[in-house]
Amino acid sequence: MDFSWAGIKQTVKTYWDKLSSPQKIITVLAPLLVAGALIYLIIWAGRPQYVPIFTKLNDVDAGAITAKLQDMKVDYKLADNGATIMVPQQSSAEIRLELASAGLPEESKFSFDNLDTMRLGETDSDRKLRYVLGLQNELENTLKTLSGVEDARVHIVMPEPSLFVESQKSATAAVTLKLAPNTTLSEDQVRAIANLLAGSVEGLQSENVTIVDTSGNVVSDLLKESKDPEKLTVTQYQLKQAVEEDTRKSVQSMLDRVLGTGKAVVRINAVLDFDQKKIVKQTNGPGAVVSDQSTNESTTNGTNVAGGTPGLPSNGAPTYPADSNVNSTSTKNTSTKNYQVDTTQEEQVVSPGSVKRLSVSVMADADAVTQDQLDQIKAIVASAAGVDAARGDEIQVAAIPFNKTDLQQEVAAMENAKKQQLYMIYAGIGAAVLAGLVFLIVFLRRRSKKAKAEKMLELEGSEPVSVSDAELLMAQKLAEEEAKMNLAQKNAKSVEEIERQQIKEAVELYARNNPDEAARLMKTWLSEER
């Protein structure tokens, strides 16, 4: 291989002439695209990366900072409607320190730093006012650090102390929060904010804190609702939902199996008993005797002899009977019986969460059920859901015509989707068949032309080399013409006309310079066509 400049140039020219027009376009465009991508990457990597130095600025502070940055001739960008200022990352620390030394951003609110020094002529009321303002500012900065809170304002009312306890008023506070988009505060977060203020302000109770958001919602009402004895806790509410959902799914699946999907709607409302009870029951055995005591006593007497008639003598002195012999016997028997009583003691602990009352509502499509079927459905659903009339449970079953507009629209949409899917499949099959036919036609045409060229070479094998070369050149020109015509179909119309004109001029030039070879070639083609 010749490595001289002329040799390299000739090799490149020869290689370039062998390429077709699409190959030439790709050969030129590919390096240009790669070079353009490399240049873009270099420029993108060389651009400075901006980082925020201040966020959540008000208009006054943002204007002062941007004016100072312009004086410093520092490039900057604004974000969040001007509330955030961004500067190049490599110089962000120096810019922030320089702005801080210039007193930017300016602090327009009071803080505890204002209480370090005493002011001439300041009274206790003035100092107390500065203290309240500084406390409000500190609480606002603390609330801004909470997740989901973009801005906060705090107002504290501290009444004057009174000599009488019954006349002393309680401190109050009001908080306005600007929440991030799509952010809501939970009950625990609201309670945390209220407790934060109650712990920071002397004499302030958490129930005296009013919290609102920028949409006008009183967020602190969640704390009052949580103290309602009838309000369920999160665990109790989840248990209630679980009981209702399990019962509903059981009844709904049964009705869907019988009436069909979408023919019935079931709703369950359960009232649960969350009181824990302890029942102690003591039972004695039947006919038990606690104590039995009996006493038997008998007495036997002998012969008695009277000593005279009792009475009074004439002189009034008392007289007594004369002594006599008496025989007496006494017997006493005592027996006591004690029985052990049979005692049964039962202790029952009723766990909270039992169903206290259950309400079941069933609506069936009037087109799908009859009145007799409604009565059967009511009895079956009551049994399946565990409805107890003695407990106060209720069940309602009604037949109402359903609105089937949405269902019909969904069915029509599904049918249209199926039709479109079929059309896409048919279109894909048609495109594949068409592409196969085009490929087959092109393949057959190329094969036919190749066979003609080979036959022509065989017929003209005995002719001089110049004629054979002319025929080969003519066949190559025609092949190139056809290839360019196929390529031109994809390009603009002007390009197609230019290519055809060039090929036509080349063929005419060859025919003028070699009339004999051109005539002989035309005769050969005419004979083959016959």
Side-chain angles (χ1 to χ4, degrees):
M1 182 176 180
D2 188 5
F3 290 98
S4 63
W5 173 250
I8 295 174
K9 184 177 180 181
Q10 183 63 31
T11 302
V12 172
K13 183 178 180 182
T14 304
Y15 175 76
W16 179 261
D17 294 336
K18 291 181 180 179
L19 296 176
S20 61
S21 296
Q23 292 176 341
K24 291 179 180 179
I25 295 174
I26 294 175
T27 304
V28 174
L29 291 180
L32 293 178
L33 292 176
V34 174
L38 290 176
I39 293 172
Y40 175 77
L41 289 175
I42 293 173
I43 296 175
W44 178 79
R47 288 187 302 180
Q49 184 177 2
Y50 287 81
V51 296
I53 56 172
F54 297 110
T55 59
K56 301 179 181 179
L57 295 173
N58 55 39
D59 296 338
V60 177
D61 292 338
I65 293 174
T66 53
K68 182 63 177 178
L69 292 176
Q70 291 175 359
D71 295 339
M72 296 168 56
K73 297 181 179 180
V74 175
D75 295 333
Y76 65 90
K77 291 183 178 180
L78 299 178
D80 298 336
N81 296 325
T84 300
I85 298 179
M86 305 174 67
V87 297
Q89 184 178 11
Q90 60 271 18
S91 58
S92 60
E94 293 82 357
I95 294 173
R96 186 183 290 106
L97 292 177
E98 189 169 352
L99 291 174
S101 62
L104 295 175
E106 296 179 354
E107 186 62 49
S108 61
K109 299 179 181 179
F110 289 95
S111 65
F112 282 133
D113 296 336
N114 301 105
L115 302 178
D116 293 341
T117 58
M118 292 292 296
R119 297 181 181 180
L120 183 63
E122 184 180 41
T123 63
D124 291 340
S125 298
D126 297 336
R127 187 170 181 81
K128 182 179 180 181
L129 177 60
R130 288 201 296 150
Y131 171 79
V132 173
L133 294 176
L135 181 59
Q136 290 179 173
N137 184 33
E138 294 297 329
L139 289 174
E140 290 172 1
N141 294 333
T142 303
L143 293 177
K144 291 178 184 179
T145 61
L146 299 179
S147 176
V149 178
E150 292 185 350
D151 197 4
R153 293 298 302 272
V154 178
H155 301 279
I156 300 174
V157 178
M158 299 183 67
E160 294 293 334
S162 176
L163 297 176
F164 303 98
V165 177
E166 60 273 7
S167 301
Q168 180 65 42
K169 297 182 179 180
S170 302
T172 58
V175 181
T176 304
L177 300 177
K178 180 182 179 181
L179 303 179
N182 300 325
T183 301
T184 56
L185 296 178
S186 63
E187 182 179 336
D188 294 336
Q189 291 175 319
V190 176
R191 184 178 292 104
I193 294 175
N195 292 335
L196 173 65
L197 267 72
S200 302
V201 180
E202 182 181 1
L204 179 62
Q205 303 295 328
S206 59
E207 56 268 15
N208 293 332
V209 178
T210 302
I211 305 173
V212 299
D213 57 13
T214 52
S215 300
N217 301 319
V218 183
V219 185
S220 56
D221 287 345
L222 294 175
L223 302 179
K224 299 178 181 178
E225 294 176 358
S226 63
K227 296 180 180 180
D228 187 1
E230 299 296 331
K231 183 180 180 181
L232 301 178
T233 62
V234 176
T235 304
Q236 293 174 349
Y237 184 72
Q238 291 176 351
L239 180 59
K240 179 178 182 294
Q241 280 189 325
V243 172
E244 293 175 350
E245 186 64 17
D246 291 344
T247 308
R248 188 197 67 80
K249 287 182 178 180
S250 177
V251 177
Q252 186 71 58
S253 60
M254 179 181 64
L255 294 178
D256 290 344
R257 185 70 177 271
V258 176
L259 303 179
T261 304
K263 299 296 183 180
V265 179
V266 180
R267 291 295 180 267
I268 306 295
N269 182 24
V271 179
L272 304 184
D273 187 4
F274 293 103
D275 296 334
Q276 186 174 8
K277 299 178 182 179
K278 182 178 181 181
I279 302 174
V280 179
K281 183 178 180 181
Q282 183 174 348
T283 305
N284 295 326
V289 178
V290 178
S291 177
D292 184 9
Q293 183 176 1
S294 62
T295 302
N296 296 325
E297 183 175 357
S298 61
T299 304
T300 304
N301 296 324
T303 304
N304 296 327
V305 179
T309 301
L312 295 176
S314 60
N315 56 3
T319 60
Y320 296 94
D323 294 335
S324 60
N325 295 327
V326 179
N327 295 326
S328 176
T329 303
S330 176
T331 304
K332 184 177 182 181
N333 297 324
T334 302
S335 63
T336 302
K337 297 180 180 180
N338 294 323
Y339 294 90
Q340 182 67 33
V341 180
D342 296 335
T343 303
T344 302
Q345 183 174 350
E346 297 179 359
E347 183 175 343
Q348 181 182 5
V349 178
V350 180
S351 300
S354 60
V355 178
K356 188 177 181 180
R357 186 173 178 271
L358 191 67
S359 299
V360 181
S361 300
V362 178
M363 286 193 302
D365 190 359
D367 298 335
V369 296
T370 62
Q371 185 62 39
D372 295 338
Q373 290 177 338
L374 281 180
D375 297 336
Q376 297 177 358
I377 290 174
K378 183 175 182 180
I380 294 173
V381 170
S383 177
V387 175
D388 187 1
R391 190 174 54 188
D393 297 350
E394 294 181 354
I395 179 171
Q396 297 292 334
V397 179
I400 301 175
F402 282 10
N403 185 1
K404 301 181 178 63
T405 304
D406 296 338
L407 181 60
Q408 292 174 355
Q409 292 178 356
E410 292 179 0
V411 172
M414 292 177 63
E415 291 179 355
N416 292 332
K418 290 182 180 179
K419 290 181 180 180
Q420 292 179 359
Q421 187 176 5
L422 290 176
Y423 292 157
M424 293 296 294
I425 294 174
Y426 294 155
I429 294 174
V433 173
L434 182 61
L437 291 176
V438 173
F439 176 78
L440 181 62
I441 293 172
V442 173
F443 176 75
L444 293 177
R445 290 184 62 183
R446 290 183 178 179
R447 185 175 181 181
S448 176
K449 291 179 180 179
K450 183 177 180 182
K452 289 180 180 180
E454 292 177 353
K455 186 176 181 180
M456 183 177 61
L457 290 176
E458 291 177 358
L459 293 175
E460 301 297 332
S462 58
E463 296 295 330
V465 178
S466 59
V467 176
S468 178
D469 292 338
E471 292 175 349
L472 291 175
L473 180 60
M474 182 65 73
Q476 182 179 3
K477 289 293 184 180
L478 293 175
E480 290 179 357
E481 180 183 1
E482 182 178 1
K484 290 179 179 180
M485 290 176 62
N486 294 333
L487 178 63
Q489 293 177 357
K490 301 180 181 178
N491 300 329
K493 185 176 180 180
S494 59
V495 177
E496 181 181 1
E497 293 177 353
I498 293 173
E499 293 291 339
R500 289 183 178 180
Q501 185 65 27
Q502 291 178 353
I503 294 172
K504 182 178 179 182
E505 292 176 356
V507 173
E508 290 177 353
L509 179 62
Y510 178 80
R512 286 196 300 268
N513 294 333
N514 303 280
D516 297 335
E517 288 81 356
R520 186 178 181 82
L521 182 60
M522 293 299 296
K523 291 179 181 179
T524 303
W525 285 353
L526 292 174
S527 63
E528 290 178 354
E529 291 294 331
R530 293 176 182 175

